[in-house]
Amino acid sequence: MSMREYLTETLHTPVRCVCDVIVCGGGTAGVAAALSAARCGAEVVLIEHNGYVGGTLVNGAGPLHSFFNLYNAYPETGRHQVVRGIAQELVDKLEARGQSPGHMEQRRGGGYDSVITLIDWEGCKALMLELLEQAGVHLLLHTDAVGVTKQGDRIDGVIIQSKSGRELIRTKTVIDTTGDADVAELAGCETENRCTTTTVGMPFSMQNVDMKRLLAYLEAHQLITQLVIGEEQTPGNEAIRLGFDLKKVPEFTEFMERTGVWGPLGYALHTGEFTYINAASVRAVDATDVEVLSRAEVTLRLQVAELSRMLIRYIPGFEHAYVSWTPNKIGVRLTRIVQCEHVMTLQEITEGARFPDEV
């Protein structure tokens, strides 16, 4: 490819609206931020790239965890719920609608994720939209933040790009919940890219899976690494958290060592559906580089295709299964982060340290 060239433009960007708070990114953090601000009386605009809100939570995340402290990993601390607020409100409302079994204790396997919470993704999408509308949040989907305006060191506007073109939203406060510190980067904040420290993945769903037959096979061959069953909490559905070690199955060993595929670890929520299978993996991907991101997307989708064919061929319970869902993009754990004044230590996290300037 040719060397980078630059085009100098003179742009006339119309002001779309003025608000108290603009939240950039409608994932879990963005939804919570927008709801919190709007419920306090602020005029809030929430912009989101996708055609729904919820982010990775409803498009590739597995069972929710970390509502409770690390009491299995650190038994001396005792069991305490450390996350409530809007996150717990979502779980409560989904449970009332029959779209979540609530918090299920993981008795086999697991450490930090001692409690598992399954949710119906489509139900959660709808619920979040309902709550945002009730709070009066002005939602702009299919919209990206592409620039900022500043008065000195203070951001007073976010430039957006959407099907309506390039526009400016004037604001008093900007909340960056893009997941990649995009707005902070555009504003000139000091950031650090941590892409080399973790992996990206591509979970998927399969229909027509006989989970009881699968469990019987895994038990007989001692392959299960994590298991929780919540049938009593979701009558008529599966509600199974399941992890197993495919690397011990001879037909999979070479494939997994060659590709970096692991586990898998996942769950089933609805009968006949292995709702979430997390196994495909690529390490050290800079998801802020479109070329690298595109290559990883292709690699992972081909991993899913090959793995699913092998499951159907070799693993009892998958004989009549087929891939029914893949996320609209790969799952990214970590990219840019804003350089902070203080980075919390493991001891501060496990002991629940408090800080004078906490929100």
Side-chain angles (χ1 to χ4, degrees):
M1 298 178 68
S2 61
M3 294 180 62
R4 185 183 293 271
E5 297 179 2
Y6 292 90
L7 172 67
T8 300
E9 298 179 277
T10 300
L11 300 173
H12 298 279
T13 304
V15 176
R16 182 178 185 91
C17 62
V18 178
C19 64
D20 296 321
V21 177
I22 180 170
V23 181
C24 301
T28 47
V31 168
L35 283 175
S36 298
R39 287 172 176 178
C40 288
E43 289 184 275
V44 180
V45 174
L46 172 61
I47 66 169
E48 164 57 34
H49 170 80
N50 292 304
Y52 58 88
V53 295
T56 305
L57 172 69
V58 294
N59 187 64
L64 313 184
H65 52 73
S66 301
F67 277 81
F68 294 79
N69 63 321
L70 314 182
Y71 64 93
N72 265 3
Y74 300 90
E76 67 276 9
T77 63
R79 185 179 191 266
H80 305 285
Q81 184 167 353
V82 294
V83 175
R84 293 188 187 273
I86 289 172
Q88 185 61 52
E89 179 184 346
L90 289 171
V91 173
D92 289 341
K93 284 182 165 60
L94 289 171
E95 191 173 2
R97 295 179 178 188
Q99 295 173 329
S100 172
H103 303 308
M104 302 190 302
E105 189 79 18
Q106 182 150 319
R107 299 293 185 184
R108 190 165 165 186
Y112 72 94
D113 51 353
S114 307
V115 171
I116 296 300
T117 310
L118 311 186
I119 62 169
D120 181 280
W121 292 332
E122 294 304 319
C124 192
K125 286 180 187 177
L127 174 60
M128 286 180 166
L129 290 174
E130 290 172 25
L131 295 178
L132 290 169
E133 290 213 329
Q134 290 167 9
V137 173
H138 183 60
L139 178 62
L140 293 176
L141 300 172
H142 309 291
T143 302
D144 295 305
V146 296
V148 300
T149 59
K150 297 198 294 186
Q151 290 286 340
D153 288 336
R154 183 175 180 81
I155 301 174
D156 65 357
V158 174
I159 300 170
I160 61 172
Q161 186 77 34
S162 70
K163 296 299 289 186
S164 298
R166 180 183 169 95
E167 298 173 301
L168 174 66
I169 297 178
R170 293 280 185 204
T171 188
K172 300 174 184 175
T173 302
V174 179
I175 301 178
D176 184 348
T177 49
T178 60
D180 297 313
D182 288 340
V183 179
E185 179 83 357
L186 291 168
C189 293
E190 292 185 12
T191 61
E192 179 183 353
N193 200 329
R194 297 281 188 89
C195 65
T196 60
T197 64
T198 186
T199 61
V200 297
M202 172 67 68
F204 61 102
S205 295
M206 296 185 76
Q207 288 280 359
N208 285 356
V209 179
D210 187 334
M211 295 301 294
K212 289 183 171 56
R213 180 168 163 76
L214 172 61
L215 275 171
Y217 166 80
L218 297 174
E219 288 280 17
H221 291 79
Q222 299 182 327
L223 297 175
I224 294 177
T225 57
Q226 292 195 32
L227 180 65
V228 56
I229 300 178
E231 288 178 332
E232 294 179 1
Q233 292 162 278
T234 55
N237 281 322
E238 299 282 1
I240 296 172
R241 161 70 155 179
L242 178 64
F244 52 98
D245 190 356
L246 273 179
K247 209 168 188 179
K248 292 181 179 178
V249 179
E251 291 85 354
F252 288 81
T253 305
E254 185 276 332
F255 163 73
M256 298 180 77
E257 289 178 348
R258 168 172 51 86
T259 60
V261 170
W262 63 285
L265 182 61
Y267 72 84
L269 183 56
H270 303 296
T271 301
E273 173 187 88
F274 205 154
T275 311
Y276 172 84
I277 305 171
N278 190 10
S281 177
V282 177
R283 181 167 290 279
V285 171
D286 183 358
T288 65
D289 184 318
V290 68
E291 293 276 359
V292 176
L293 184 62
S294 298
R295 187 66 248 162
E297 186 93 33
V298 172
T299 298
L300 288 167
R301 291 192 180 278
L302 293 179
Q303 281 186 14
V304 167
E306 187 173 1
L307 174 59
S308 61
R309 288 194 295 266
M310 294 175 70
L311 289 169
I312 293 167
R313 181 175 181 182
Y314 295 114
I315 304 298
F318 285 96
E319 293 92 339
H320 305 293
Y322 61 92
V323 175
S324 56
W325 169 87
T326 58
N328 63 12
K329 60 183 178 181
I330 63 177
V332 178
R333 294 178 183 272
L334 188 63
T335 55
R336 282 190 297 252
I337 60 172
V338 176
Q339 289 192 355
C340 302
E341 295 177 356
H342 174 71
V343 177
M344 291 185 69
T345 66
L346 177 61
Q347 184 176 357
E348 287 171 339
I349 294 171
T350 56
E351 293 182 356
R354 305 301 298 265
F355 297 89
D357 59 347
E358 66 189 35
V359 177

